[in-house]
Amino acid sequence: MKGLDELIFDNRFACLGDVFSTHVLPEPIDNPRLVVASDAAMSLLDLDPACAQTPLFAELFSGHKLWSDTEPRAMIYSGHQFGGYTPQLGDGRGVLLGEVYNDVGEHWDLHLKGAGPTPYSRSGDGRAVLRSSIREFLASEALHALGIPSSRALCVIASDTPVWREKQERAAMLLRLAPSHVRFGHFEYFYYTRQPELQKQLVDHVLAAHFPGCATQPEPYLDMFREIVERNAELIAQWQAYGFCHGVMNTDNMSILGITFDFGPFAFLDDFDANFICNHSDHEGRYSFSNQVPVAHWNLSALAQSLTPLIEVPALQEALGLFLPLYEAAYLDIMRRRLGFTLAEEGDKVLLERLLGLMQNSGVDYNLFFRRLGEAGSLAVLRDDFVDMQGFDAWAADYQARMDRDVVDGRTERMNQVNPLYILRNYLAQKAIDAAEDGDYSEVRRLHQVLSNPFEAQPGMEGYAERPPEWGKHLEISCSS
Ligand code: AMP
Ligand code: MG
């Protein structure tokens, strides 16, 4: 394990030069202190978890100190926001400090979010507030623990620096890790500014650094695009299967790696509602829970459009055509396992759709239902949750018959491995944030611990596995962050 001064930097993106990013130094925040750190994320950098307790740790991740071999850069990109094209975005409040090369040969981007103004801040202050930093930290690490690909979070640092949103709040910084911070919007920027040579340079970089398997294929660019389609189909299948709502699926928030990325007013479903909108500012429900599937497809077609200088249109269309079938197969595969099936049967899709139809507007807690389904001795105990109890009885009879045709041995254990007991519910995050805003970080740390092991019952943590209180289901998550 390494100490903080032993990290090895290999800043490949910075080396691409000033047309892709701009040198900018983080602007420190006052009186920095550690809110929470993730040991699991630290291990990605081979860092000794004990480093998090040193003053240097808080200094490095609050902009007060820098390693001598980092090259902090604000990246340039654009993107489609709520369906409309915004020609110039870029890192307005985050800085790519550099890329760490770890002992197993991986590169990890160190991105400091809330690091102060950059040339791309537009009218923003370049800051991130404590509540949104805590939310992103908890969600990144919770998604990872659920097995859902996501950017990671190393730590949150709180400060006394005032920032103004709907009210006065305090600035914080989040250290985000990802193998790459390249977004769909990077490619759109060079397409819409008609700079095909630069775009090709960026694509070649991404290909070599992140899709080495595609680089050796006869049609490397097409192969890479196809893989991006595949990864996104898998990712969205996992979101839908676990009830994760991203909230702002603009193309500048879509990672080229197909990982969950840049989520602000995200939420996990409490009660099942296909039409759930987690972003308070999304008045038309563009990014509602069930719209995430067509929106991901739409975003991929925006990416495809930007790649037309490099790939023939029919080939792009063919690759785009893979999205829905791949998504459906991946989704059904996860849901079969969540239902306890090991074999695939023709009627599974309809059985699942019937269940979701019964859940809709019934007030059934989505994730707990599956956990209880695996643990319940008798299906009858679940019927009280449904408005249409007779409908549930009919479904339960068909489900039981389907189970009887499948492998019975080890069913509960098998189901518990895919059906989490602990979910990052908005109200749990909110309780932790309220305490943190008063200077008490213990609840953030506890919640992070619980969510790091979501499939296993943890003694003393029963309260985290309960249904949310009524007030907790209707929290409005502001888009401001
Ligand atoms: P987001 O909604 O966080 O994905 O951000 C969209 C764009 O707005 C990105 O270019 C961000 O860098 C920029 N942005 C968001 N908040 C701020 C802020 N407080 N100051 C400067 N830029 C910001
Ligand atoms: Mg963003």
Side-chain angles (χ1 to χ4, degrees), residues 77 81 89-93 120-122 124-127 165 252-253 262:
Y77 52 83
Q81 299 188 308
L89 290 163
D91 288 334
R93 54 154 165 190
Y120 312 107
S121 296
R122 296 175 291 164
D125 59 6
R127 293 303 187 195
R165 297 294 182 259
D252 54 301
N253 292 336
D262 232 2

Side-chain angles (χ1 to χ4, degrees), residues 65 79-80 91 103 112 117 121 138 142 156 204 349 400 404 429 439 455:
K65 282 204 175 145
H80 279 86
D91 288 334
D103 285 349
L112 193 59
S121 296
L138 290 172
V156 175
D204 285 337
K349 188 170 177 222
Q400 188 61 57
D404 293 343
F455 298 105

Side-chain angles (χ1 to χ4, degrees), residues 238-267:
Q238 284 172 290
W239 288 2
Q240 301 309 113
Y242 285 97
F244 179 77
C245 227
H246 179 289
V248 204
M249 287 175 71
N250 295 334
T251 56
D252 54 301
N253 292 336
M254 300 292 291
S255 159
I256 203 72
L257 302 178
I259 61 177
T260 316
F261 193 69
D262 232 2
F263 28 102
F266 70 85

Side-chain angles (χ1 to χ4, degrees), residues 393-470:
D393 292 341
W395 180 85
D398 291 342
Y399 172 74
Q400 188 61 57
R402 170 68 180 84
M403 282 307 310
D404 293 343
R405 295 192 296 273
D406 212 295
V407 179
V408 180
D409 280 354
R411 187 171 75 94
T412 300
E413 291 71 29
R414 213 170 41 240
M415 287 176 76
N416 281 356
Q417 282 166 14
V418 289
N419 292 327
L421 185 56
Y422 307 109
I423 282 288
L424 178 56
R425 298 177 186 279
N426 265 342
Y427 94 98
L428 291 174
Q430 194 54 48
K431 277 171 52 173
I433 288 165
D434 289 344
E437 285 181 338
D438 288 336
D440 175 1
Y441 307 135
S442 59
E443 187 53 27
V444 177
R445 294 174 188 175
R446 195 174 312 117
L447 186 54
H448 164 57
Q449 281 307 319
V450 172
L451 296 170
S452 300
N453 196 4
F455 298 105
E456 226 167 274
Q458 299 166 44
M461 299 300 169
E462 293 75 12
Y464 293 90
E466 281 170 10
R467 281 165 216 240
E470 211 44 45

Side-chain angles (χ1 to χ4, degrees), residues 25-35 57-65 93 112-117 125-130 133 155-163 169-175:
L25 289 174
E27 195 169 282
I29 44 179
D30 300 334
N31 189 16
R33 51 220 181 248
L34 177 69
V35 175
F57 189 86
E59 285 167 351
L60 282 167
F61 301 123
S62 61
H64 285 265
K65 282 204 175 145
R93 54 154 165 190
L112 193 59
K113 190 165 179 176
D125 59 6
R127 293 303 187 195
V129 295
L130 181 61
S133 307
C155 64
V156 175
I157 306 290
S159 80
D160 291 341
T161 302
V163 287
E169 300 188 47
R170 300 284 169 193
M173 289 192 196
L174 169 93
L175 197 285

